Amino acid sequence: MFKIRLLSGIVLVLLALFLILSGGNLLLGSLLAISMIGMYELYRVFQIEKGILGAAGYLAVLFYYVSLWQSLFADAMVFVVGTLVCLMFVYVFTYPKYKTEQIMGAFFGVFYVAVMLSCIYQTRMLENGVYIVWLIFLCSWGCDTCAYCVGVLIGKHKMSPKLSPKKSIEGAVGGVIGSMLLTLLYTWIFKTQMQVSMEEMVLLALISGIGALISMVGDLAASAIKRNYNMKDYGKLIPGHGGILDRFDSVIFTAPVIYYLAVYLMK
């Protein structure tokens, strides 16, 4: 199992490297496909992966990505309100086919999976985005790796015993510090290309530290949903890792954090 997980991880990293370096429409289209699969996995939890309600969610995501491609919305609230209204139309005109929690699950899935993942593309499109976008993965997958290593070595105090008994406070601290150190190393290696000063390198490391902390919330949030519905994995698409949501649970949270922190702090 370890070998399968390792090989899958290497393939994921190489694929991420190719797509992010390519950027543009290829990255946007790939994120659309990943979002659709992730939404299908989440909708399956709420038993709405098929039928008109699921289709409404998928169409909303397709429309959102087209709007990113063509820069249709100046105000994102138009999409938020429009999506909710459309889902309420489905709720009313198919009543009593769907329960209230299924409608909320459909609405939640659009933003939790697709909109938040789209921040990878939006980060990539920033000035110096080809470098900054890697902070998303340094403070999610990097945090996971560092937290695991530190937790195995010195982890004693459980962080969330009922939700994730293997995670420790020591591991969490190690994950945050590890992400910051990885970011410092990364920015130092590419400091010429990124044209960053030492102060900006430290700022980026702090941004990664915040992202790493929040990535753990994303990981635990995805686990909480699975626990509520007595699931082990969201899917089996990625050998040794599970589904899209099993592998991208922390990335989903770190992508918007890195994007907005970079936008507002790196001016």
Side-chain angles (χ1 to χ4, degrees):
M1 178 60 73
F2 175 77
K3 288 183 178 179
I4 294 175
R5 186 178 177 86
L6 178 62
L7 288 173
S8 296
I10 292 172
V11 171
L12 281 175
V13 170
L14 292 175
L15 186 59
L17 184 65
F18 170 71
L19 291 175
I20 289 174
L21 288 177
S22 299
N25 293 337
L26 180 60
L27 176 60
L28 185 64
S30 299
L31 287 172
L32 171 60
I34 291 169
S35 296
M36 288 292 194
I37 297 170
M39 278 186 62
Y40 180 86
E41 292 174 353
L42 185 64
Y43 279 7
R44 190 164 49 194
V45 173
F46 301 116
Q47 298 180 343
I48 57 172
E49 75 276 16
K50 299 177 182 178
I52 190 171
L53 183 56
Y58 303 139
L59 284 173
V61 169
L62 179 60
F63 184 71
Y64 173 74
Y65 273 80
V66 170
S67 74
L68 280 179
W69 177 40
Q70 295 294 323
S71 303
L72 297 180
F73 291 130
D75 185 357
M77 283 304 296
V78 175
F79 175 72
V80 175
V81 174
T83 301
L84 182 57
V85 169
C86 289
L87 292 175
M88 294 308 290
F89 261 93
V90 174
Y91 184 39
V92 169
F93 290 106
T94 60
Y95 189 85
K97 184 175 182 179
Y98 297 108
K99 297 179 180 179
T100 308
E101 54 266 32
Q102 290 177 306
I103 301 297
M104 294 300 101
F107 183 71
F108 170 69
V110 171
F111 296 92
Y112 172 62
V113 182
V115 174
M116 293 175 79
L117 274 178
S118 74
C119 289
I120 296 175
Y121 168 78
Q122 295 181 74
T123 305
R124 172 64 176 82
M125 299 306 290
L126 295 174
E127 184 180 359
N128 266 342
V130 67
Y131 298 104
I132 295 174
V133 70
W134 291 104
L135 299 187
I136 294 172
F137 300 96
L138 284 174
C139 62
S140 52
W141 295 348
C143 177
D144 285 348
T145 302
C146 293
Y148 174 79
C149 294
V150 173
V152 167
L153 290 173
I154 60 172
K156 293 181 179 179
H157 302 87
K158 302 300 181 184
M159 183 169 65
S160 182
K162 291 185 178 179
L163 187 55
S164 187
K166 293 184 179 181
K167 288 183 170 59
S168 65
I169 295 175
E170 293 85 355
V173 173
V176 172
I177 295 174
S179 296
M180 295 175 68
L181 292 176
L182 285 172
T183 301
L184 281 175
L185 177 62
Y186 170 74
T187 52
W188 183 79
I189 291 172
F190 293 103
K191 61 183 178 181
T192 303
Q193 294 89 334
M194 295 178 71
Q195 297 180 340
V196 290
S197 63
M198 181 57 68
E199 291 78 11
E200 289 172 323
M201 289 168 62
V202 172
L203 178 59
L204 288 170
L206 290 174
I207 289 174
S208 282
I210 296 170
L213 188 62
I214 294 175
S215 77
M216 288 183 276
V217 177
D219 188 2
L220 292 171
S223 296
I225 295 172
K226 288 190 289 187
R227 298 292 184 276
N228 282 339
Y229 289 87
N230 298 314
M231 297 174 60
K232 183 179 183 296
D233 292 316
Y234 283 103
K236 299 179 180 179
L237 181 65
I238 308 172
H241 293 270
I244 289 293
L245 295 183
D246 295 297
R247 182 63 277 178
F248 287 84
D249 49 6
S250 56
V251 173
I252 285 172
F253 268 59
T254 55
V257 170
I258 295 301
Y259 171 66
Y260 286 108
L261 287 177
V263 167
Y264 292 108
L265 296 182
M266 294 298 293
K267 291 182 178 179

